[in-house]
Amino acid sequence: MQKRHGLKIASGLVMGSSMMLMTLLPAASAMAATAPAVTGVTLSKESGTVAVGNHISFTATATQSGSGTTMYQFWYQGVKGNWHATNWQSSSTFNLPVALQNGSYEVVAFAKDKGQTTPVNSEGTNSNQFVNVGSSVQVTGPSTTNVAPGTTLNYTASAKNLTNPVYQAWYYYPNNPSGKQWVASGNYQSSPNFSLITSAPGNYQVVIFAKDLNAPQDNQFAVTKTSTPTVYGQAASVKLSAKSSSLVADGQATDTITATVADSNGNTVANYNGTVTIQGQSTGTDSNHGYAPYVKTSAGAYLEGGTVNTANSTESFNVKNGVATITVVAPSNVSSTSDTISAQWTDPNGNTHTANTTLTYATAQATAFKLKP
């Protein structure tokens, strides 16, 4: 009996000692937390010049918990889409083993502690960079960038030297009633086709991005192309501009004056058709010059290309797609003088607008001479 009692005591002592020992040991989770491990890694941008034939390098930086040894593995995807990998190494530097070619490269750095056994395909600590060599995007769109409100503008992008390119468009809306001027087409997409539906008059922008399929969903590694369509408003004014403001007074030199019907923002109203009128000094007929009848300016220049009204010495010129062209033939036998060409135009509301431009004329001056045998 005593013996059995003693066994019970001994047994109790052993059990008590074991419990005390367990209380002195750290918990299993605490031991795992202090085990050396890599908790993160970053990869630098390429070091070196990105150009065909050059070599570049990268440096990885790992965040390590505990006093372990960090190991690195690097993967890269070449321009043909093939992936290549290094062995695990202690060096944090990776030299791309091939000379650069036109195309896009992706470089990925993995890191782990030497004691970690997590397979690379499930390792959460990795970071990547992209390199574009000769990469670009071209955009085809409307033949004109000056359009009426409500016009749908269609664009098609085409990327060059990118692996599996995807595209995104951003649209700038001037005077947008919602107040949001920059609007994205959505996430990057494989389709290169985009459409902008214009609304209020003003200057728009269409920016199309193209990037490698695996690159981040932003413009960090993207190439871009910008289009700047203009939406015109109601016809509101007329402008005159001369190709040259000075002519030789020889009776033969010509100049071209352009009359442009514009909206309140100064943009050409490309769907406007009508007339502008130039006020002259007199009219007449001159078959020797080929303009019969003609309108003559106060300085003696001839205007041609329009319809003459002899009753009030005016000449009307047709405006087509917002633009009219007036030809001025310089006067002859005059000393230095000038002309103020004045155009009148009536807007759709019945209001009359005037625009002016000034031309100067001077007799020809000898600047050189030649001797002939």
Side-chain angles (χ1 to χ4, degrees):
M1 188 75 177
Q2 181 66 32
K3 184 176 181 181
R4 292 178 63 185
H5 180 70
L7 286 172
K8 287 182 179 180
I9 294 174
S11 176
L13 287 172
V14 172
M15 291 178 63
S17 299
S18 298
M19 293 179 65
M20 291 179 62
L21 180 61
M22 290 178 66
T23 59
L24 296 175
L25 293 175
S29 59
M31 292 179 66
T34 59
V38 169
T39 58
V41 64
T42 59
L43 184 64
S44 68
K45 291 186 177 181
E46 72 281 348
S47 177
T49 302
V50 176
V52 173
N54 284 3
H55 288 269
I56 56 176
S57 62
F58 301 81
T59 300
T61 302
T63 302
Q64 173 89 20
S65 68
S67 57
T69 300
T70 304
M71 302 294 291
Y72 300 90
Q73 186 181 52
F74 297 93
W75 288 72
Y76 79 91
Q77 184 183 39
V79 296
K80 295 182 180 180
N82 298 323
W83 282 97
H84 310 270
T86 68
N87 294 323
W88 286 96
Q89 61 187 49
S90 59
S91 173
S92 61
T93 300
F94 172 65
N95 298 309
L96 195 69
V98 294
L100 293 177
Q101 303 176 39
N102 281 322
S104 58
Y105 295 80
E106 180 180 1
V107 178
V108 185
F110 290 88
K112 68 174 184 176
D113 185 79
K114 189 175 183 179
Q116 288 179 285
T117 57
T118 307
V120 64
N121 59 2
S122 63
E123 177 64 63
T125 49
N126 63 78
S127 178
N128 60 354
Q129 290 285 340
F130 293 81
V131 179
N132 295 325
V133 184
S135 303
S136 63
V137 60
Q138 297 299 319
V139 177
T140 57
S143 58
T144 178
T145 59
N146 192 33
V147 298
T151 302
T152 299
L153 304 177
N154 297 314
Y155 298 88
T156 299
S158 176
K160 181 180 180 182
N161 295 328
L162 284 175
T163 302
N164 299 322
V166 288
Y167 305 89
Q168 183 187 56
W170 281 81
Y171 308 114
Y172 176 82
Y173 293 89
N175 306 313
N176 193 349
S178 69
K180 190 175 182 180
Q181 293 184 307
W182 281 104
V183 179
S185 61
N187 293 329
Y188 276 90
Q189 61 186 48
S190 58
S191 172
N193 300 314
F194 299 93
S195 295
L196 166 67
I197 301 177
T198 63
S199 52
N203 298 319
Y204 289 68
Q205 289 189 59
V206 180
V207 184
I208 295 182
F209 295 83
K211 72 174 187 69
D212 187 296
L213 173 63
N214 295 329
Q217 295 291 312
D218 54 29
N219 64 352
Q220 186 178 174
F221 298 102
V223 291
T224 66
K225 188 70 173 181
T226 301
S227 176
T228 54
T230 296
V231 176
Y232 52 77
Q234 184 179 6
S237 65
V238 63
K239 300 183 292 184
L240 286 184
S241 60
K243 185 176 181 181
S244 173
S245 60
S246 180
L247 291 174
V248 175
D250 59 1
Q252 297 181 8
T254 62
D255 193 10
T256 299
I257 295 177
T258 301
T260 303
V261 175
D263 65 8
S264 58
N265 294 319
N267 300 316
T268 302
V269 182
N271 65 351
Y272 179 85
N273 297 301
T275 60
V276 294
T277 300
I278 302 293
Q279 181 65 55
Q281 185 74 17
S282 61
T283 63
T285 300
D286 187 353
S287 58
N288 292 329
H289 289 88
Y291 22 87
Y294 62 82
V295 166
K296 201 171 186 179
T297 69
S298 59
Y302 296 87
L303 304 182
E304 64 174 351
T307 301
V308 173
N309 185 335
T310 57
N312 57 13
S313 299
T314 61
E315 189 167 355
S316 297
F317 297 85
N318 290 328
V319 177
K320 184 177 181 180
N321 298 329
V323 176
T325 301
I326 300 118
T327 299
V328 180
V329 182
S332 58
N333 302 320
V334 297
S335 57
S336 298
T337 187
S338 64
D339 249 338
T340 297
I341 309 296
S342 180
Q344 289 79 41
W345 170 74
T346 302
D347 66 27
N349 295 322
N351 302 311
T352 300
H353 303 263
T354 301
N356 301 303
T357 189
T358 300
L359 303 180
T360 60
Y361 313 105
T363 55
Q365 300 292 325
T367 58
F369 68 93
K370 294 182 180 179
L371 294 177
K372 294 185 177 180

